[in-house]
Amino acid sequence: MSVRDPENAAPLTARNLTTGYARKNILEHLDFEILHGCFTVLIGPNGCGKSTLLRALCNLMPVRDGGVLLDGRQISEFSTKEIARRVGVLAQGPVAPEGLTVEDLARQGRYPHRSLFGQWSDEDETACRTALELTALTHLKDRAIDSLSGGQRQRAWIAMTLAQQTGILLLDEPTTYLDLAHQIEVLDLVQRLVREQQTTVVAVLHDINQAARYADHIVAMKDGRIAVQGSPEEVINKETIEAVFGVRVAIVACPVDGAPLAVPLTGRQK
Amino acid sequence: MAASALRLVGLLTLTLVVIVISLWALTIGSSDIGIGGVVEALAGAGDERRFLVVTTVRLPRILAALLAGASLAVAGAIMQAVTSNPLASPGLLGINAGAAFAVVASLILFEPAPTAVYVWYAFGGAAAAAFIVYMLASTGAGGATPLKLALSGVILSVFLGSVTASILIFDKTTLDNVRLWSVGSLSGRPMSSVVAVAPYIGFGLVAAMAFSRQVATLSLGAQVARSVGQNIALWRLASGAIVVMLAGSAVAMAGPIGFVGLVVPHMVRLAIGTDYRWILPYCAIAGALLVILADNLLRFALPGRDIPVGVTMALVGAPLFVFLARYRIGNAR
């Protein structure tokens, strides 16, 4: 029941990447390599370039200098369809058309595998069924997306990207606007995909402690540059958090698994 | 598969209803011709005067109603999907304003011509307006986004509308010539103007059905459509071309008939869901049904009066739209 297609597990790296909007560069001369089979989390203050990096990695940003290499080739040389067969991406807060069912959304994930007048194949059917099973949505497949809870909705979108069978998933703030239970629901799913399906996931998260708890690798960004990256233990410490977020914290060991927990200090305690 | 069998049966039933209503509509008019006479005339037999009335007066009107209804409803469904805007209609691309402007301009610039010639002016005006709107919207970052399309459509529509209105204010003869057309009317359409646009409508309908899967993917919004690998610039352009072909033809033939492109897609979605492979064919049949009913119910109830279909459609469409709006607001999350 694997969603990973070995030939699609293409290496994805940013080399000396400069990109941005209008006349403003958001990222300058950035180097970044996605670790395969790992759950990488990007953290950093608003506007630091996390989402921009994610968008650049799937060719949604104009490249000013350097570039993004997929399989050793510039990503801009691939067609959108070829990219969608190799890299799955979920934008922040997607909204489904009213009444669209879970299964119909998952079926859209087969778009890059179908030709213009190609019929729905057994392979397409299997990929969709697997995606719905992995996201535990099989029993909800005929429900409209807008009738689901926030967590189920986010899982339905993840099911669509899984149906693409890409091996790499880029998730932009998959837990934002979800309540705690639904955040855990989504993060547990992502963790399962990485552990059991060997999917490579890069996600933007806001909660540092969730990042420390779930990520294999954390990338802390500030002002369009990567400040520090490494394991949670290497990144989540007083100095880095203060340098990146400008917030003083105390670090304690998580009572459950010993992962570093950052506890912000209020002004009064300074 | 049971669901799609049910949908197919529903579609065929609806088609049968349209055929029956069309035959009934052929019996409506000032000369008293029963259903037997209509069938006889269609077969090319029977009384010659009856044959002439049915084939040159009534049949073109019925065909124009069916074609206009089908194309406006399908064009509306595509517009709503592509722009992710439930209130979008073909008029948003400047099609109505462009067609009206071209017809009025040709009336004051050139010698009077047979009706079928104006169809070409209207069609050209609609296409040119849509092209300008698309070009205006394509400038700047992000290309032709739905918001920029809507804005440039409104700008061009208002501009062309003002120019058209000012011409009509100063030229009463022109006003009299376009008055009926400008509210949407099917009366007095010669067969030649139906024949002139029929190939475009046919091509547009076939293309819309063939590419319904692309329309479904576009309806997810630009960001998602692109993330699953769709070339959105290409498919937005293709969808726009289909809309121009369909709505431009309908407007050229019958004037801007409102509400069809707005109401029919909503009703269809309520009835059969969000699968565009079914929405588009259902829209074509339901749109044809709505226009032929709107055109003939009042003519049947008030014999001797010929109320333009644009007016009856507003009478039928406005309450329907209010109902839909309330129903959907009531069901919103």
Side-chain angles (χ1 to χ4, degrees):
Chain A
M1 213 171 68
S2 174
V3 290
R4 185 187 182 194
D5 188 343
E7 72 171 292
N8 283 345
L12 183 59
T13 54
R15 285 272 172 273
N16 192 30
L17 175 68
T18 300
T19 182
Y21 300 94
R23 268 173 232 97
K24 190 169 179 281
N25 285 337
I26 306 286
L27 305 176
E28 281 187 335
H29 310 297
L30 183 136
D31 286 300
F32 177 63
E33 184 162 352
I34 290 184
L35 298 174
H36 265 279
C38 284
F39 184 6
T40 301
V41 171
L42 307 182
I43 59 170
N46 290 337
C48 71
K50 307 177 296 264
S51 296
T52 306
L53 176 57
L54 219 54
R55 288 170 60 80
L57 287 172
C58 51
N59 199 33
L60 290 175
M61 294 294 300
V63 172
R64 300 267 161 71
D65 193 15
V68 172
L69 300 180
L70 176 61
D71 236 346
R73 270 169 62 202
Q74 281 286 353
I75 198 167
S76 49
E77 292 172 14
F78 290 86
S79 73
T80 39
K81 233 178 181 177
E82 286 171 322
I83 295 170
R85 279 199 293 264
R86 291 167 173 81
V87 184
V89 61
L90 187 52
Q92 200 181 328
V95 179
E98 199 180 341
L100 189 76
T101 65
V102 171
E103 189 175 31
D104 281 342
L105 183 63
R107 289 168 75 105
Q108 290 290 343
R110 298 304 296 167
Y111 185 96
H113 296 277
R114 300 176 68 186
S115 59
L116 187 50
F117 293 109
Q119 292 299 305
W120 185 253
S121 68
D122 289 345
E123 207 179 314
D124 294 326
E125 187 63 40
T126 311
C128 270
R129 202 181 316 129
T130 308
L132 290 175
E133 279 167 21
L134 286 171
T135 50
L137 286 171
T138 309
H139 64 297
L140 295 173
K141 69 185 171 70
D142 295 320
R143 286 273 298 274
I145 312 269
D146 43 25
S147 73
L148 301 177
S149 74
Q152 292 167 335
R153 225 178 271 175
Q154 194 61 279
R155 269 156 48 201
W157 284 101
I158 293 175
M160 181 193 81
T161 61
L162 289 179
Q164 285 173 248
Q165 295 184 304
T166 56
I168 301 178
L169 283 188
L170 309 178
L171 309 174
D172 196 356
E173 300 198 18
T175 55
T176 301
Y177 304 124
L178 298 183
D179 66 34
L180 187 60
H182 293 148
Q183 290 178 18
I184 301 298
E185 184 183 323
V186 169
L187 289 170
D188 280 348
L189 166 63
V190 171
Q191 192 173 47
R192 223 167 42 241
L193 291 173
V194 176
R195 298 278 175 277
E196 294 166 18
Q197 308 296 321
Q198 289 78 46
T199 311
T200 300
V201 177
V202 181
V204 172
L205 295 182
H206 270 304
D207 189 318
I208 301 166
N209 293 329
Q210 283 178 354
R213 189 69 193 281
Y214 284 93
D216 300 308
H217 188 76
I218 296 182
V219 178
M221 292 182 68
K222 193 189 184 192
D223 299 333
R225 279 192 305 275
I226 293 175
V228 190
Q229 59 176 320
S231 67
E233 288 72 21
E234 288 167 328
V235 177
I236 308 299
N237 55 56
K238 268 160 80 171
E239 295 72 27
T240 304
I241 301 302
E242 186 164 349
V244 170
F245 289 94
V247 173
R248 299 207 314 129
V249 291
I251 303 292
V252 295
C254 167
V256 179
D257 63 359
L261 265 181
V263 183
L265 304 174
T266 64
R268 194 151 41 88
Q269 286 166 309
K270 253 179 210 173
Chain B
M1 285 300 107
S4 61
L6 202 66
R7 284 168 172 171
L8 189 62
V9 171
L11 192 64
L12 293 176
T13 312
L14 212 56
T15 311
L16 202 66
V17 172
V18 170
I19 293 172
V20 171
I21 301 265
S22 303
L23 284 174
W24 165 72
L26 283 170
T27 67
I28 299 173
S30 46
S31 20
D32 189 19
I33 304 175
I35 189 75
V38 164
V39 173
E40 226 174 55
L42 286 179
D47 179 55
E48 192 174 342
R49 195 190 62 85
R50 224 191 289 165
F51 173 78
L52 274 178
V53 169
V54 170
T55 56
T56 64
V57 179
R58 296 188 185 175
L59 191 58
R61 181 172 190 146
I62 303 298
L63 289 178
L66 295 176
L67 288 175
S71 46
L72 287 173
V74 171
I78 294 177
M79 282 297 290
Q80 287 163 18
V82 173
T83 61
S84 314
N85 177 355
L87 293 177
S89 66
L92 198 73
L93 277 175
I95 287 170
N96 298 346
F101 175 75
V103 167
V104 168
S106 75
L107 280 169
I108 58 162
L109 289 176
F110 308 118
E111 297 291 305
T115 317
V117 172
Y118 292 111
V119 168
W120 293 106
Y121 289 126
F123 192 71
F131 180 75
I132 294 171
V133 166
Y134 192 84
M135 284 299 128
L136 275 177
S138 297
T139 56
T145 61
L147 180 65
K148 286 200 283 175
L149 270 179
L151 284 174
S152 46
V154 167
I155 291 166
L156 193 76
S157 292
V158 170
F159 174 72
L160 288 179
S162 314
V163 177
T164 309
S166 59
I167 294 174
L168 292 178
I169 286 168
F170 294 113
D171 191 337
K172 193 166 174 307
T173 331
T174 310
L175 178 61
D176 287 339
N177 281 329
V178 296
R179 198 197 302 266
L180 213 53
W181 178 80
S182 67
V183 293
S185 167
L186 293 161
S187 71
R189 301 294 108 186
M191 195 54 127
S192 56
S193 61
V194 176
V195 169
V197 298
Y200 295 95
I201 291 181
F203 184 81
L205 288 176
V206 169
M209 305 304 152
F211 299 138
S212 57
R213 192 159 65 80
Q214 303 293 338
V215 174
T217 303
L218 272 179
S219 75
L220 297 175
Q223 209 162 21
V224 177
R226 192 170 166 178
S227 79
V228 295
Q230 190 174 40
N231 183 338
I232 53 169
L234 173 73
W235 287 108
R236 270 184 185 161
L237 195 63
S239 310
I242 292 172
V243 168
V244 168
M245 226 178 275
L246 289 172
S249 308
V251 172
M253 186 170 58
I257 305 174
F259 286 106
V260 185
L262 202 55
V263 171
V264 173
H266 282 287
M267 291 197 303
V268 167
R269 271 194 292 265
L270 268 184
I272 65 154
T274 55
D275 188 343
Y276 276 88
R277 287 170 305 168
W278 289 102
I279 287 177
L280 295 183
Y282 262 91
C283 277
I285 303 297
L289 181 63
L290 183 64
V291 172
I292 199 165
L293 277 178
D295 190 37
N296 288 290
L297 279 179
L298 272 186
R299 292 203 317 137
F300 176 70
L302 305 168
R305 294 284 173 88
D306 198 348
I307 296 158
V309 66
V311 175
T312 34
M313 187 55 72
L315 293 177
V316 178
L320 214 53
F321 191 66
V322 170
F323 165 76
L324 284 173
R326 277 204 61 92
Y327 183 91
R328 294 178 89 78
I329 290 165
N331 277 270
R333 41 188 139 109

